[in-house]
Amino acid sequence: MGKEGFVTTITRQSEDFPGWYNDVVLKAELADYSPVRGCMVIRPYGFAIWESMRDELDRHIKATGHSNVYFPLFVPRSLLEKEAEHVEGFNPQVAWVTHAGGKELDEWLAIRPTSEAIIAESIRDWIQSYRDLPLLMNLWNNVVRWEMRTRLFLRTTEFLWQEAHTFHASAQEAIEEVDLGLEMYRRVAEEWLAIPVISGRKTEGEKFPGAVYTYSVEAMMRDRRALQAGTSHYLGENFAAAADVWFLDRDNVRRHPHGTSWGFSTRMVGATIMAHGDDAGLVLPPKVAPVQVVIVPISRTEEERVAVAGAIERFLAALAATPQGAAVRVKVDWREESPGFKFNHWELRGVPFRLEVGPRDVAAGQGILVRRVDRAKEAIPLDRLAAELPLRLAGYQQELLQRARDFRAANTHQVEDYESFKSVVEGEGGFLMAHWCGSPACEKQVNDETGATIRNIPFDSPAEPGPCIADGAPSDRRVLFARAY
Ligand SMILES: [Zn+2]
């Protein structure tokens, strides 16, 4: 099989979305399967995408006063079992170390599924008085949750993430912190990944095990399913009380601190693929794209090659003359492959702009600029492009966000009754804004019968009385239902 054949054989997105997704992840060399079932190897191009969103989120985390720390991979069984709801929620997914050093351990060690339990235990001695609060910590690490059905980036047994853990003297301060964490996720999703999200509160049934409440941001993928893009939890005094953590407050009363935790993971690489990609592969927002502009030189003779190389060098020098231009991530593809092969290669990898430079372009002082998202072609003088490129990348970023907003709007349905709810879920899919009375039984019934879950109760869902779609009981606002990843 020829190389051009290889890169063009990705499954069509419209025909088989999961098949398309796997093809893009594997053939764009983002990740690969590993010898351990359910785990993944993240390859350089995929890791560069993760690093970009990780670094952006890390800037937000530090700018709001949090410090990065590290806690151990292993959690003693007795610690994990201190918070009853927590252990009940996580137990089926926990991997245990039972043997080490050639013998059975006296106490099993959990490989952390999350770090609330070990952190609450560790900080007991750190917090003596209200002066030691707030304690604002963040960990970048890996966690393990045993999954039955896994998918690269979206649901893997081991994944990378950040988990922030904060402790506060008052409930009010912790509640504001939960909002702050969620707002960081909204900003990274929308401003960095060009993925619009809906912020809201999870139902009791969907909240984090051991939390008082959970907030989430939810995004729509190109197959109209929802993906949870980040969660932020108010833990109340639950974990601190279970670990016997106390502080002396201003009024000389001993109290438990109020906790929060919030997390954002490598599944957002999967979200970036599924929120923007098309039949030719990835479509990356410039901010997260490891390569923002690829230059494809076109020549047949050595003389042409020299002329084209000279024009490209002059273009790169002009681009580097301004700080914004120098920051653009450009790659010149000099490989000995056909132009068609290179076009497919970089389209599959979602590079926002391709610049073709051939002998006739050199003579005219121009290049052919092609946008990945719509393949729009434009002949443009190279000196003008050097000056305009940073602005064009910013514009492209905004266009992708707007395109995703328009797609979501076109696939969001206000649904009044259960029959139309079912027909939308079974048919075109998308987000369904419908009334729900608040009963866990109704929530479960809808999930069992349609596969759709309540993604969250959007903060901006207006007060509006109506009948619950499941049992007709009164509801005071609509909630967001969808089938989800
Ligand atoms: Zn109901």
Side-chain angles (χ1 to χ4, degrees), residues 436-437 439 442 468 470-471 473:
W436 171 60
C437 65
S439 135
C442 292
C468 173
D471 66 355

Side-chain angles (χ1 to χ4, degrees), residues 120 193 208 279 352:
L193 307 178
F208 178 76
D279 280 342

